[in-house]
Amino acid sequence: MPKELWTAVDTYITDLLIRPDPDLDAALESSATAGLPAISVSHPQGKWLYLLARMRGARAILEIGTLGGFSAIWLARALPKDGRLITLEIEPKNAEIARANLKRAGVANQVEVRIGAARDSLEQMVRQGEGPFDLIFIDADKVGYPAYLELSLQLSRPGTVIVADNVVRDGAVRDPASEDENVQAVRTYNAMLAAEPRVTATVIQTVGSKGYDGFAVALVTK
Ligand code: SAH
Ligand code: DHB
Ligand code: MG
């Protein structure tokens, strides 16, 4: 598959439509320097999340899987002044780097990075009656996706948009016999969307600098 071509087109899109943002570049640089894996969303995908949040008029956003805060900066940039983003991260080191990146980007006052296993954090949020959120972005460990969807629905209301990254996985998602637990987990996630009467959903395949993958997008309707 021509990943070089997809990456070149991502560069074209980024140069054309995405204003240079030293804070986003610095977030990627500091993440790389600290040895974090280069698995943030791409620039065009980050802007897509930003546009989605703005189209939704999101004032309360939840992210599951912070890494160095790259997608969190994009999402926070879409918030109104009194809007808030909560982002969940299991690795204290990642959370520390993300906090510094969010601070540099001038959005630290709107973003809370919560350290812990996302499942525990989400269960606590449900117990404490937090939410509902307008937009939820699921991007942590893939095996956790089914539980994250169940818990996200409890933090939603009609109108909430739930987006999940990495649900196509080089096309492997179409193989029911896959022995990859990540593939099986996203298959379960997609099947849950299909069976869930509270949502209407689709999956959009993507190519780009991150290879061949896709996003599941769901709207909570009741
Ligand atoms: N959304 C980020 C990328 C996230 S990468 C971006 O686009 O910029 C996935 C992140 O999820 C990693 O930082 C990883 O440490 C975290 N993660 C993995 N398992 C987790 C869990 N059980 N709970 C919370 N975070 C987890
Ligand atoms: C991986 C995780 C991601 O969220 C992603 O977008 C790409 C790769 C990974 O764990 O390898
Ligand atoms: Mg991802």
Side-chain angles (χ1 to χ4, degrees), residues 9-49:
V9 174
D10 257 357
T11 301
Y12 159 79
I13 294 166
T14 302
D15 290 348
L16 186 66
L17 290 164
I18 303 179
R19 199 171 293 139
D21 184 331
D23 298 329
L24 283 169
D25 294 339
L28 291 182
E29 246 180 69
S30 88
S31 300
T33 303
L36 270 49
I39 56 175
S40 305
V41 293
S42 67
H43 280 85
Q45 290 172 346
K47 185 148 185 194
W48 176 70
L49 291 171

Side-chain angles (χ1 to χ4, degrees), residues 97-139:
I97 290 158
R99 282 180 183 137
N101 287 331
L102 290 156
K103 190 170 178 195
R104 188 193 298 105
V107 293
N109 59 329
Q110 289 172 287
V111 184
E112 184 188 340
V113 184
R114 276 192 204 171
I115 300 173
R119 196 176 173 146
D120 297 341
S121 301
L122 290 165
E123 280 169 356
Q124 187 178 358
M125 292 171 79
V126 170
R127 274 199 307 276
Q128 303 197 334
E130 286 188 68
F133 293 91
D134 306 307
L135 175 67
I136 300 176
F137 177 46
I138 302 176
D139 192 22

Side-chain angles (χ1 to χ4, degrees), residues 38-41 45 139-140 142 145 165-166 169 182 210 213:
I39 56 175
S40 305
V41 293
Q45 290 172 346
D139 192 22
K142 310 311 156 191
Y145 273 31
D165 193 17
N166 312 117
R169 316 198 67 79
N182 295 323
K210 294 206 59 193
D213 216 322

Side-chain angles (χ1 to χ4, degrees), residues 52-72:
L52 201 58
R54 287 200 57 185
M55 288 186 279
R56 181 64 197 77
R59 309 178 76 82
I61 304 178
L62 172 63
E63 176 179 69
I64 306 172
T66 315
L67 195 64
F70 183 77
S71 54

Side-chain angles (χ1 to χ4, degrees), residues 158-171:
T160 299
V161 173
I162 303 176
V163 176
D165 193 17
N166 312 117
V167 302
V168 172
R169 316 198 67 79
D170 285 309

